[in-house]
Amino acid sequence: MKKAEKRMSWKEVFQMNIRGLKMFYERYPQMVTSRFISVFWNALTPYVGIFLSALVVDELVGNRDVQRLQMLVVITLASAAIIALGTALLNKWKNTQSTGEWLKIEHIVSEKMLDTDYVNLDDTHTAEMLSSIRQSFNGGGWGLARVLECCGELCSSVFTLLGGLALTASLFVIKV
């Protein structure tokens, strides 16, 4: 018979992910920082173009002031160029910091193994846990590597939602 698997609660999963994120941040703060700044940037930059395009359309429908329209178009184009440049730089920084991620994770696991008592190293349960950690990372791409990815996806979703809500709220505030 198979042994019944213990299912983790959402609270336990959340706490474990926070713990993994802290481990990464303590050892590789630029890797974590570069990912979260990149996530923030990529989630919110589309709203800049949407907002500026709305201002251009508003000016076309409204006063049709040529000077203001030219200024808005120049600002829109300049912001698009700055956003593209910023995106490229942030992606380069994030990719540079994430290089050798497998070795960084292996370093964290090795440090944990060095911190434990020899009695624990000789225990079969510890060997099984270490094997499970390595299999999870190598086989399915789970484990510590997935912590950064999942936290990034969660933050991206939150930032996108907040940006969408802010843009939607501005629609109700502006006079028609």
Side-chain angles (χ1 to χ4, degrees):
M1 278 182 126
K2 289 185 178 181
K3 194 167 61 170
E5 292 184 30
K6 180 187 176 265
R7 298 200 40 100
M8 296 176 73
S9 69
W10 284 101
K11 182 180 178 184
E12 290 172 324
V13 170
F14 182 75
Q15 289 172 341
M16 193 178 295
N17 279 303
I18 294 298
R19 183 175 171 211
L21 196 59
K22 284 180 183 177
M23 278 196 290
F24 266 117
Y25 189 76
E26 288 170 359
R27 290 163 183 83
Y28 308 105
Q30 282 202 357
M31 186 168 87
V32 175
T33 304
S34 67
R35 283 190 184 226
F36 283 106
I37 290 175
S38 181
V39 161
F40 178 77
W41 181 267
N42 290 332
L44 295 181
T45 52
Y47 297 113
V48 174
I50 292 170
F51 181 74
L52 291 173
S53 297
L55 290 178
V56 169
V57 169
D58 185 46
E59 189 60 36
L60 285 171
V61 172
N63 295 337
R64 295 186 186 178
D65 182 14
V66 176
Q67 295 290 347
R68 179 167 161 76
L69 192 58
Q70 287 175 342
M71 181 186 68
L72 287 173
V73 169
V74 168
I75 291 172
T76 303
L77 292 174
S79 69
I82 291 169
I83 287 170
L85 179 64
T87 301
L89 291 173
L90 284 173
N91 283 337
K92 182 67 174 173
W93 182 38
K94 180 184 77 167
N95 292 338
T96 301
Q97 294 302 318
S98 296
T99 302
E101 188 173 325
W102 182 85
L103 290 174
K104 291 175 181 178
I105 292 171
E106 191 63 37
H107 182 253
I108 291 171
V109 171
S110 298
E111 278 183 350
K112 287 292 183 186
M113 294 299 289
L114 287 172
D115 286 345
T116 191
D117 293 331
Y118 182 74
V119 175
N120 294 336
L121 288 175
D122 200 32
D123 186 26
T124 56
H125 179 68
T126 305
E128 288 173 2
M129 285 177 34
L130 181 61
S131 175
S132 175
I133 289 169
R134 289 197 170 122
Q135 284 177 5
S136 294
F137 180 67
N138 293 333
W142 294 93
L144 277 177
R146 192 79 170 124
V147 168
L148 283 177
E149 195 174 317
C150 287
C151 288
E153 290 172 3
L154 177 67
C155 288
S156 176
S157 299
V158 169
F159 292 144
T160 302
L161 180 67
L162 292 176
L165 287 174
L167 193 62
T168 303
S170 71
L171 289 174
F172 293 109
V173 174
I174 297 174
K175 293 180 186 178
V176 178

